Amino acid sequence: MKNIELDEDSDVKIKVNIICPECKKNKDLFIPLNSIKVSKTLTTVSIPPGYCCEHHFQIYLDKNFHIRGYQKVDILLDDIKLIDGLDYDPQKESSLNDTQIKLIKSFFPTIIYEYIFKAILLKKNVIIISEELDDNDKSMLLKFLETIMKDLFTYNVKVIKDKTFELNKLMENTVLIQDMKTKGIKNFTKNLKVINSIIAEFYEQKDKAIPLLKKRMKLIHQEVNFIIDTFSQKKESINKMQIKDTLEKNFTRKYKKEYFDFLLAIIDEFYNIKLNIYSDIMGAI
C-alpha cells in the first residue's frame, strides 16, 4: 500500500500529505501508527520551520489519520532568560508524572487548550463537551489546571458528555467548547496569537513542560499586577505607550504589541479594572 511504510524497527507508519496553511506548499509526512492510538480525540502534530516550508504550523489528525484542521504557530516568546529566573519547583506543587503529562496533551488538540487558557485569563467559565474523557481523565485535567493556576488565576472549568447541551443553558460569560469550536461568546476565537505561542511551547517541550507553562502564567500574573499597582489609582489619563515604557523598564524586556494588548485585556476582563487610558494617535501602539 502506498500510504504505509515500515521503518528500520518494523513500526508501521501512515503517510499523510500536509499543506502549509500560509504558503500552501505540501509534503508527505509519515506518522507512526502507535502515536495516534494513544490519543483520545484528535492528535496535534507540530510541523517545524524547514520541514515542509519556512513556516511553523500544526495539523490535527483523527484516529483514521484524516486531517481535521490546520493552524499557524506564531512564536512571540523571546523571554526565556526572564522565565528561567522565576522561582518554581514543580515537585512541590504537582504529582503529575511524565506519562500523565503526555496523556494530558493527548486529551485535546492544542486549539482546545488555547480556548481553555484564554477563557481562564479573561475570567470566562468553560464547559467542554467530550464523550471520550472518563472520570479519571477529567480528574487529571483539573489537577493539571490546578497545578498551573494555583495562587495565580481562579477558574471554573467543567467537562460534560451531553452533546445535546443547549446554548440557552449557558451561564453568563461562559464559553462552550466542542469539536474545536466555541459558542457562547462572540468573537472569542479571535486574537489567539499569544496563547497559541504559549500552548505550542507546552506541547513541544518534553522535559520541562509543566514548569515552563507555570512560569508563563506566573510571569503574566506579575506583569498585570505590576500595571495595576502602578497605574490603576492614577486620576490623570495615561496612554498605552507610557504604560508599556514603564513595564519594559521594570521587567527589562521589550513587549510586542499582541502580548502587551493581551495583558491589558486581562486587567480589563479578569480583574474588572478600567485603566484611565486616553487615545493618542501619535503615541499609539
Side-chain angles (χ1 to χ4, degrees), residues 20 26 28-29 37 96 103 109 149 166 184 191 195 211 231 238:
C20 173
N26 70 90
D28 288 337
L29 175 68
K37 286 183 178 179
L96 295 170
L103 187 60
M149 295 298 179
E166 298 175 4
N191 302 324
I195 295 297
F231 294 100
I238 51 178

Side-chain angles (χ1 to χ4, degrees), residues 73-108:
V73 176
D74 299 303
I75 298 298
L76 292 169
L77 310 175
D78 54 2
D79 51 5
I80 290 296
K81 289 183 179 179
L82 182 60
I83 289 291
D84 287 343
L86 294 178
D87 179 37
Y88 171 62
D89 182 359
Q91 300 303 322
K92 293 181 181 179
E93 301 187 39
S94 172
S95 58
L96 295 170
N97 57 42
D98 291 342
T99 301
Q100 290 173 319
I101 294 171
K102 185 176 181 180
L103 187 60
I104 287 168
K105 291 180 181 180
S106 78
F107 287 164
F108 307 115

